[in-house]
Amino acid sequence: MPRLPSLATVLLLLPLASGLAAAAEQPAAARGFFTRASIGTQGVGLDLGYTFSRYYKLRLRGAWLDYERTDNWRNITVHSKLEASSTGLLLDTHPWGRKFRISTGLNYAPTTLTAKSNLLQPKRIYTLGGSDYRAVNSPGWVSGSYSWNRLQPYLGIGWDWRTTSGVSLSLDLGINLMNQGKLRVNASSNIEQKPIGTPASAWRPFNTALLRDSLQSESREFFRFAERLHTYPVIQLGAGMAF
């Protein structure tokens, strides 16, 4: 059965539909294309837009973000990575026909937050949470990855300024509505695990549920942050030109 759009999605898209209808009535002299480059919490962004009037603009935005860092969890080196690139269609409404605007729209944003550790020394015992892990015969790895809804409604405000040289400056402040993230864990096929303090005969092929508990227990701050991340803050500074 197909999923119906959420109430938040419907409410945020209503201004988009009404804005397009009103923009169609504006004189051609008020219209024109523009482009804008930006940088901020969404990464490096590029907008291609169309001005329908001094009250309405429509933007197609692409943004690319790829951030990595390395942490240490006890005796394991962990590589964390955030991938949050997005493509969105946004309607800018200038209620007074001036610099200030309200922006609504929808983003396609396959956002993932991943923590992965390579167990490079076969037979060496690594501890995660309440379990021991080892790679058999060859190097192995374990990982945990959070992902969120790919379709994310956007709501924000912003300002546009035009300089005497014809370059426009912009500021976007808003949020992407991501909803609850989902945790998936995995490991290479040669990973074994056993409870701490049990004899060698207790080694078994890794169990997904136990691996999830181990990862969540070992790095509570990392996964607590991911569990609470229901909205993604957007702060973008941009510069562009009309043509």
Side-chain angles (χ1 to χ4, degrees):
M1 181 178 180
R3 294 179 60 185
L4 296 176
S6 67
L7 178 60
T9 302
V10 173
L11 291 177
L12 289 177
L13 290 181
L14 281 176
L16 178 61
S18 62
L20 291 176
E25 302 175 0
Q26 299 297 323
R31 304 174 184 176
F33 288 97
F34 66 91
T35 185
R36 179 185 302 155
S38 64
I39 190 168
T41 58
Q42 284 190 305
V44 177
L46 181 64
D47 293 3
L48 178 61
Y50 188 82
T51 300
F52 292 95
S53 72
R54 65 192 182 108
Y55 295 101
Y56 296 105
K57 295 196 295 287
L58 189 65
R59 285 186 285 154
L60 179 64
R61 160 171 287 179
W64 298 267
L65 177 62
D66 194 339
Y67 172 75
E68 298 184 45
R69 60 176 290 177
T70 299
D71 299 297
N72 287 306
W73 297 355
R74 293 198 193 184
N75 59 345
I76 297 180
T77 299
V78 178
H79 304 282
S80 304
K81 184 175 183 179
L82 172 65
E83 297 176 284
S85 297
S86 63
T87 303
L89 184 64
L90 307 177
L91 174 70
D92 296 330
T93 302
H94 297 256
W96 300 287
R98 297 179 182 273
K99 300 178 180 66
F100 175 78
R101 55 178 160 78
I102 300 171
S103 301
T104 58
L106 189 64
N107 284 305
Y108 176 75
T111 307
T112 58
L113 181 62
T114 302
K116 181 178 180 180
S117 179
N118 295 315
L119 311 186
L120 299 178
Q121 299 181 35
K123 295 298 183 179
R124 177 183 171 183
I125 296 176
Y126 299 85
T127 300
L128 282 172
S131 297
D132 289 333
Y133 290 84
R134 69 179 182 181
V136 180
N137 298 326
S138 61
W141 53 268
V142 296
S143 72
S145 179
Y146 262 92
S147 61
W148 290 264
N149 287 355
R150 295 191 172 193
L151 289 179
Q152 301 174 6
Y154 174 81
L155 176 63
I157 59 175
W159 291 263
D160 296 322
W161 300 272
R162 185 174 294 277
T163 66
T164 55
S165 62
V167 175
S168 63
L169 304 176
S170 68
L171 172 63
D172 283 281
L173 302 174
I175 55 172
N176 288 335
L177 303 179
M178 305 168 67
N179 290 333
Q180 180 68 47
K182 294 181 180 180
L183 173 62
R184 293 178 175 85
V185 298
N186 204 355
S188 56
S189 59
N190 64 329
I191 295 297
E192 293 182 339
Q193 69 184 156
K194 72 178 183 67
I196 292 177
T198 56
S201 59
W203 285 109
R204 296 289 186 274
F206 83 92
N207 175 280
T208 300
L210 293 178
L211 178 58
R212 179 185 293 108
D213 291 342
S214 295
L215 290 174
Q216 289 179 314
S217 175
E218 186 63 33
S219 184
R220 293 181 178 88
E221 292 185 2
F222 179 87
F223 288 106
R224 187 181 295 120
F225 166 77
E227 288 173 355
R228 294 178 178 177
L229 189 61
H230 299 161
T231 60
Y232 188 88
V234 175
I235 304 174
Q236 291 287 121
L237 295 172
M241 297 188 68
F243 56 92

